[in-house]
Amino acid sequence: MTEPSQAPLLEVSGLSKVFETPAGPLKAVNAVDFILREGEALGLVGESGSGKSTIGRLVLRLLEPSAGAVRFDGTDLAALPPEAMRRLRRDVQVVFQDPWAALNPRLTIGYQIEEPLRLHTSLSAAERASRIAEIVERTRLSAALLARHPADLSGGQLQRACIARALVTRPRLLVLDEPTSSLDLSVRAGILELLGELKRDLGVATIFISHDLGTIKLICDRVMVLYLGTVVETGTTAELFAAPRHPYTMALMSAHLSPDPRQRRRRILLRGEIPSPLNLPGGCVFASRCPASLEACHAQRPPLVALDHARSVACLRAGDDLASLMGAHT
Amino acid sequence: MSLLSIEDLHVHFVGEDRLGRPVTARALNGVSLTLEQGERLGLVGETGAGKSLTVQALMGLLRAPARLVRGRALFEGVDLLALDEAKLNRLRGAAISMVVQSPKTSLDPVRRIGDQIVRIQQAHAPVSRAQAWRRAIDLLEKVGVADAERRAMAYPHQFSGGMAQRVLIAMALANRPRLIVADEPTTGLDATVQAQVLDLLTSLVREEGASLLVITHDIGVVAHYCDKVAVMFAGVIVESGPVEQVFGAPAHPYTQALLAATPERIEAGGKAPRAGLPPNLRALPEGCVYSDRCPIADASCRTEPPQRLLALGHQALCHHVAPQREALA
Ligand SMILES: Nc1ncnc2c1ncn2[C@@H]1O[C@H](COP(=O)(O)OP(=O)(O)OP(=O)(O)O)[C@@H](O)[C@H]1O
Ligand SMILES: Nc1ncnc2c1ncn2[C@@H]1O[C@H](COP(=O)(O)OP(=O)(O)OP(=O)(O)O)[C@@H](O)[C@H]1O
Ligand code: SF4
Ligand code: SF4
Ligand SMILES: [Mg+2]
Ligand SMILES: [Mg+2]
């Protein structure tokens, strides 16, 4: 069932989501395409409301797409019969931002880690116990915590429990939606270290959603940058961080504050407002804040164009020397 | 004389346990810090360390069961903690102003933005409405609200989070404060919007010659927007000094752990520190408050640690200060 195939593990094409709201249709995700290979980690970054979580929920099938397809292991998820859907629940797991909300306060930690095994596999009680012992060790949760209830654990321990629960079925794809942003800096560090280790040792493919560029850089192989539900740039982490090509990516990176006060930043000062997703502009989604915008940018939406085998950018001026045009300040 | 000097501030929460016995949570345990005119000070520390409580005490906003046990907070030589409500009210929103974390909840939803900036001026000085309105427009322009004349007529719900935060900054500046206290002014804003707001806040502070006390979780904000930093743990300032020195050569074991936990340091091959449990304020250890978590604690740490001066203005509260040179190199 898990024999290696040439096809990517996950193939997303033309994915769109429109929410019907009292104020009218809200375009949360607009024609997003991407692929994810076995063992690869893809980072989703972008402003709040840019559609990162919605993409995660569409991939997990927690939301129905308005258009487009999600293919997992070569099969279109929309066409999956119930039995295959059960298998999918085992193969695709998620960790959310808030570990306090993700766990049931009345059930023990051990029970909740075992739950997906009971629901999505036919393992015997003994097999389940050995799986749990293994994952508890991996996530460095002490076995003594299993008998406790969520209220008796710290935030970091709770998030480890959520990660253990997500990994206990040995999924092939893990969606992590801001798994560390509700945690204290010192707790966060331990979780990041754990995620890096799991990726190395278990080879789970990961979609990692985060605001924090430092974290993305640490965990991901490739990055996809979103703005108002639209992919504006994708590339390998190393290349994208070394030389961002889309004006928004440049601004985002220049706004990242490194903890080293001596590190001088070339800062790009943005002005202007983010448009409402209820009323998207007809042209480039970034045009209202882009320091390099031209008349033409307001007239037509630039398509995502491949610059080379690894990098794609949605900008009319992708061919120009934008870095010097962006007005970076020191 | 320093603009602000907090001396040995102690705040406790007194309550009862399940059996009705009195219990005391020692939330602030001798906070001391100073801020000079024109200086920008960052206050950092993990959640629950007492950062917000420190400024609440300072602004006279402590409410039961919080109890001020002892300490002074001298603002231009006057002890804020000894002032009566009327005198405090005259200072708050005028000589000292505050920017809080949640802009939407600190604006009045049913009053126009412009009117809110007028009211805060009229509360402190006998200015005419027309004059106050003109200044409101000026301030909105200053904080980067385009089309200020028209936007002043809008209500808070018509503003985005970043815009609302700028309005709060405009309000904080309205009465030309000498001290601005900002409690996580950009938490929840996006990186690019956060940069817009911080640039604005610090440049306005510089123009007006005011001082800034900013509370944040974000080490990067302190590194790039502050002159000095104070690191707090369990209601104690464990280390303070110029940002370059404290971040370049952190001396207190807690500061070292805090800086080692950033993704940048882990990426550089650093080992993530053990997190440990939050301190129990009802049963703090004898001596050093950090001793339960400190990797180098020994028997001497059961006695009060001394304040060690490491360089001009750089100090750490520890028995075994060992500056970790070039921590960020
Ligand atoms: N159930 C829903 N109904 C209506 N609108 C929604 C719903 N869920 C999300 N949205 C809207 O869709 C857009 C994308 O939201 P999403 O949560 O995916 O953003 P995000 O990138 O994850 O943001 P954040 O960084 O703040 O988590 C937003 O404008 C949001 O308000
Ligand atoms: N009513 C109360 N009884 C006992 N302890 C309390 C009470 N209210 C607050 N505390 C404690 O006072 C301490 C100081 O809280 P404070 O809000 O100042 O933390 P902080 O450093 O601002 O944290 P954060 O970064 O999460 O905002 C906390 O440990 C909190 O648990
Ligand atoms: S298309 Fe135009 S507005 Fe959009 S990012 Fe490129 S230069 Fe800026
Ligand atoms: S006084 Fe002792 S326990 Fe406290 S920080 Fe220093 S070495 Fe650690
Ligand atoms: Mg989200
Ligand atoms: Mg606080």
Side-chain angles (χ1 to χ4, degrees):
Chain A
M1 221 181 303
T2 53
E3 66 196 19
S5 56
Q6 287 306 101
L9 183 67
L10 186 73
E11 200 173 352
V12 168
S13 52
L15 192 65
S16 297
K17 181 68 190 177
V18 180
F19 290 108
E20 291 307 327
T21 74
L26 184 151
K27 292 186 173 166
V29 174
N30 305 306
V32 167
D33 300 311
F34 66 90
I35 60 166
L36 188 65
R37 294 192 189 79
E38 209 88 47
E40 198 181 26
L42 173 70
L44 303 192
V45 281
E47 313 262 298
S48 170
S50 59
K52 305 181 295 294
S53 297
T54 305
I55 292 175
R57 300 173 77 87
L58 289 167
V59 165
L60 291 160
R61 212 67 192 165
L62 296 173
L63 276 176
E64 289 292 312
S66 307
V70 177
R71 299 170 78 84
F72 183 77
D73 221 5
T75 326
D76 188 346
L77 294 192
L80 276 187
E83 175 50 31
M85 204 62 202
R86 195 173 103 123
R87 208 185 83 210
L88 183 79
R89 292 276 168 245
R90 190 184 67 202
D91 283 348
V92 182
Q93 289 286 339
V94 60
V95 176
F96 291 110
Q97 173 171 358
D98 183 353
W100 290 272
L103 294 168
N104 184 332
R106 277 181 290 277
L107 300 175
T108 63
I109 297 296
Y111 184 90
Q112 299 191 65
I113 293 177
E114 190 183 0
E115 198 164 39
L117 289 177
R118 274 194 309 271
L119 289 175
H120 310 307
T121 71
S122 44
L123 295 180
S124 69
E127 287 166 325
R128 292 201 301 263
S130 88
R131 278 282 189 97
I132 291 171
E134 180 197 319
I135 203 67
V136 161
E137 195 193 324
R138 273 226 157 272
T139 50
R140 279 181 253 117
L141 277 168
S142 82
L145 294 181
L146 296 179
R148 295 207 210 151
H149 289 83
D152 304 327
L153 270 65
S154 72
Q157 290 171 329
L158 284 179
Q159 197 59 298
R160 280 174 197 275
C162 290
I163 294 171
R165 186 178 60 167
L167 288 173
V168 75
T169 57
R170 297 192 183 146
R172 297 165 68 199
L173 172 63
L174 187 61
V175 176
L176 299 160
D177 192 350
E178 314 239 13
T180 57
S181 52
S182 62
L183 303 174
D184 239 272
L185 198 58
S186 55
V187 180
R188 193 182 297 181
I191 300 279
L192 287 178
E193 211 173 45
L194 169 67
L195 289 174
E197 209 178 280
L198 292 171
K199 177 173 168 265
R200 246 190 346 267
D201 302 354
L202 305 180
V204 193
T206 310
I207 295 180
F208 191 97
I209 297 173
S210 178
H211 272 115
D212 185 31
L213 290 174
T215 306
I216 291 273
K217 205 171 164 198
L218 193 63
I219 303 277
C220 300
D221 306 304
R222 280 193 301 130
V223 186
M224 189 158 97
V225 184
L226 287 147
Y227 193 83
L228 281 173
T230 304
V231 179
V232 295
E233 181 163 5
T234 67
T236 62
T237 306
E239 288 178 31
L240 195 114
F241 273 84
R245 299 289 295 270
H246 190 281
Y248 171 66
T249 317
M250 293 180 192
L252 187 67
M253 292 195 175
S254 87
H256 176 66
L257 300 168
S258 106
D260 183 350
R262 292 167 307 182
Q263 193 167 314
R264 285 281 142 245
R265 301 184 296 143
R266 293 179 62 235
R267 311 208 355 264
I268 296 162
L269 303 180
L270 291 183
R271 274 168 248 285
E273 288 291 285
I274 307 174
S276 158
L278 287 165
N279 186 16
L280 286 183
C284 171
V285 280
F286 189 52
S288 66
R289 291 168 80 205
C290 180
S293 72
L294 301 173
E295 201 64 40
C297 303
H298 295 271
Q300 72 192 93
R301 176 85 44 96
L304 191 66
V305 176
L307 298 183
D308 56 49
H309 69 287
R311 184 85 64 105
S312 299
V313 177
C315 172
L316 286 182
R317 309 194 65 182
D320 298 348
D321 174 21
L322 287 176
S324 60
L325 274 172
M326 291 290 289
H329 294 248
T330 326
Chain B
M1 181 175 62
S2 301
L3 180 79
L4 176 71
S5 165
I6 299 177
E7 297 170 0
D8 198 30
L9 188 60
H10 292 253
V11 172
H12 294 175
F13 289 93
V14 181
E16 288 179 352
D17 68 5
R18 266 175 261 177
L19 301 172
R21 292 172 304 204
V23 284
T24 302
R26 291 162 49 201
L28 297 187
N29 301 293
V31 173
S32 298
L33 54 85
T34 58
L35 185 60
E36 306 300 332
Q37 200 204 319
E39 233 172 29
R40 300 163 303 172
L41 171 72
L43 182 56
V44 296
E46 65 192 13
T47 176
K51 305 181 295 293
S52 298
L53 198 60
T54 301
V55 305
Q56 281 162 19
L58 186 73
M59 304 288 282
L61 299 173
L62 287 185
R63 294 287 169 265
R67 195 154 81 198
L68 178 68
V69 177
R70 66 170 183 274
R72 300 200 300 170
L74 302 177
F75 176 73
E76 298 178 333
V78 177
D79 185 4
L80 296 174
L81 304 182
L83 287 185
D84 61 37
E85 196 65 19
K87 292 212 178 88
L88 256 182
N89 273 334
R90 238 169 284 147
L91 282 176
R92 277 193 302 235
I96 307 176
S97 67
M98 203 164 165
V99 180
V100 293
Q101 179 179 347
S102 49
K104 292 270 165 151
T105 58
S106 25
L107 291 168
D108 183 346
V110 299
R111 213 176 280 280
R112 294 177 197 280
I113 295 290
D115 287 329
Q116 300 193 39
I117 309 178
V118 166
R119 274 167 71 92
I120 194 158
Q121 295 174 66
Q122 291 184 326
H124 292 280
V127 286
S128 72
R129 195 191 138 74
Q131 202 183 345
W133 184 265
R134 265 198 309 279
R135 179 151 170 81
I137 305 290
D138 271 0
L139 285 162
L140 287 175
E141 275 170 358
K142 221 175 197 171
V143 299
V145 174
D147 198 6
E149 205 118 354
R150 210 165 51 88
R151 301 299 280 277
M153 306 292 285
Y155 291 94
H157 75 268
Q158 294 165 308
F159 278 56
S160 69
M163 268 291 160
Q165 193 58 273
R166 279 180 242 185
V167 171
L168 279 194
I169 294 174
M171 288 174 70
L173 293 171
N175 295 316
R176 300 198 163 80
R178 298 189 286 284
L179 171 62
I180 299 174
V181 179
D183 192 349
E184 314 216 16
T186 57
T187 306
L189 298 182
D190 292 302
T192 56
V193 180
Q194 162 171 302
Q196 275 174 292
V197 169
L198 286 173
D199 281 336
L200 177 72
L201 187 62
T202 49
S203 68
L204 290 175
V205 161
R206 201 174 302 137
E207 271 169 41
E208 307 266 331
S211 305
L212 179 67
L213 171 58
V214 57
I215 294 178
T216 178
H217 276 281
D218 191 336
I219 298 292
V221 167
V222 177
H224 297 280
Y225 290 96
C226 295
D227 311 304
K228 286 205 312 192
V229 58
V231 181
M232 197 168 204
F233 184 87
V236 176
I237 305 288
V238 295
E239 181 162 3
S240 62
V243 170
E244 302 243 347
Q245 287 185 26
V246 174
F247 284 14
H252 193 281
Y254 176 65
T255 315
Q256 290 170 358
L258 191 69
L259 294 176
T262 57
E264 282 81 357
R265 289 268 295 151
I266 301 172
E267 191 191 0
K271 185 101 188 76
R274 274 281 179 85
L277 292 173
N280 179 0
L281 300 179
R282 293 173 172 194
L284 287 173
E286 279 293 304
C288 175
V289 287
Y290 191 56
S291 55
D292 286 348
R293 269 165 59 177
C294 182
I296 58 165
D298 62 17
S300 66
C301 302
R302 259 172 251 132
T303 60
E304 290 284 335
Q307 187 73 262
R308 287 278 167 75
L309 193 64
L310 297 142
L312 194 64
H314 181 186
Q315 50 199 9
L317 198 66
C318 173
H319 284 290
H320 306 295
V321 282
Q324 207 181 55
R325 286 281 157 211
E326 302 305 308
L328 291 163

